[in-house]
Amino acid sequence: MAFGLENGQEPIAVHIAAALSWYWWSASGTDEAIDWLRKAMPHVDVVDARTASTLIAFAGLFAGYRKDPDARTLAGDAISRARTAGDDYAEGLGHMALGFAEWAGSQFDVAKVHLEDMLTSGGKAGNQWMIGQAHLLAAFTDRMMSRLDEAAERLAAAEVAFRKQGTPSGLAWCLSAAGQMARYRFDFETEIRKQVEARKIFAEIGAPFQIAFTLINEGIALTLLGRAADAVVPGRRAVAMERELSL
């Protein structure tokens, strides 16, 4: 990417940044992603519509994570470009970014609308990853609204799609979220088992934030089981990882 930007080969940088975006998101590479996406953004008009829409959508996704007010504008731009190009997959990425921005702003019902649009786009594109991701994000949205039955149905649908696509990160998130659902129903042993299963997958793909997330949830479940001493172990590991990630 640096070579492309420094040697008049900007399309190289834009293509690589767009291709790496999901990796950055899955592996918690937020700072690196934002740095390179900002450098590539001024050159999106020199690449094809899908690449441009993808890069802009992920720029919006990371902006939503940081609760940046530009998130919705970027997502809207991605959707507009994708619609003009007739690209359902790229449009779905834009809806994902817009839905996440609303989710991060605690506008859960609004987020759900955009995630349904993402699901529609994924269906039109015939893309199981997008279908799974839409169901997964919708499940998190339902969970935040205490709609546990709806969330469980969404997680089941997401797991089916991720298994079809062969997406380990999505599958691991389904397992971790299912563990949380079990805890909300006072089934703490199931939560522990699910978090351990999810953590194994996250460790294999190198996703430190997600690993810490499973450790925190496991610690909560152990505490609720009255095993406070055991809960200290994952709790300390999570704290250490969070500190390292924040450096």
Side-chain angles (χ1 to χ4, degrees):
M1 287 183 285
F3 174 87
L5 293 171
E6 294 167 5
N7 292 275
Q9 299 292 328
E10 289 83 3
I12 292 175
V14 178
H15 276 284
I16 294 174
L20 282 175
S21 292
W22 181 248
Y23 162 74
W24 280 322
W25 184 257
S26 298
S28 309
T30 305
D31 291 336
E32 183 179 54
I34 290 173
D35 181 43
W36 283 109
L37 290 173
R38 283 176 177 168
K39 291 175 180 177
M41 278 287 292
H43 309 289
V44 293
D45 291 328
V46 300
V47 297
D48 61 282
R50 170 170 287 194
T51 301
S53 297
T54 297
L55 188 140
I56 295 168
F58 274 101
L61 191 62
F62 281 104
Y65 177 78
R66 290 283 179 86
K67 298 187 178 180
D68 188 321
D70 290 339
R72 293 174 180 82
T73 300
L74 289 165
D77 186 16
I79 292 169
S80 178
R81 288 170 181 262
R83 283 178 175 168
T84 299
D87 191 326
D88 293 315
Y89 173 79
E91 182 178 343
L93 291 178
H95 288 304
M96 177 175 69
L98 194 52
F100 187 82
E102 298 294 353
W103 188 92
S106 300
Q107 301 299 312
F108 302 120
D109 284 327
V110 178
K112 193 78 176 287
V113 172
H114 297 303
L115 295 174
E116 292 293 350
D117 289 338
M118 178 187 176
L119 182 61
T120 299
S121 295
K124 289 180 179 178
N127 188 285
Q128 292 297 321
W129 171 83
M130 183 164 287
I131 291 170
Q133 196 67 24
H135 281 304
L136 177 61
L137 292 173
F140 278 120
T141 303
D142 284 327
R143 182 201 66 183
M144 297 301 292
M145 299 293 288
S146 298
R147 298 189 290 240
L148 300 186
D149 290 340
E150 292 90 336
E153 291 176 4
R154 291 288 192 167
L155 284 175
E159 182 173 343
V160 169
F162 286 135
R163 288 189 184 279
K164 285 182 180 179
Q165 184 73 13
T167 307
S169 62
L171 178 58
W173 271 118
C174 287
L175 292 169
S176 183
Q180 287 186 316
M181 299 301 153
R183 187 212 312 163
Y184 299 153
R185 292 188 168 98
F186 308 104
D187 185 354
F188 308 130
E189 295 286 359
T190 295
E191 157 133 64
I192 293 169
R193 186 178 70 256
K194 292 288 187 181
Q195 299 303 340
V196 171
E197 291 176 14
R199 185 158 63 250
K200 181 179 179 181
I201 298 173
F202 285 137
E204 289 174 351
I205 63 176
F209 170 81
Q210 290 88 327
I211 292 171
F213 183 78
T214 65
L215 288 166
I216 291 167
N217 284 306
E218 181 182 352
I220 293 171
L222 286 166
T223 301
L224 292 170
L225 280 169
R227 295 165 56 187
D230 293 333
V232 169
V233 177
R236 283 178 172 166
R237 284 185 61 194
V239 168
M241 293 187 75
E242 292 282 0
R243 284 176 174 164
E244 186 175 339
L245 286 169
S246 66
L247 293 178

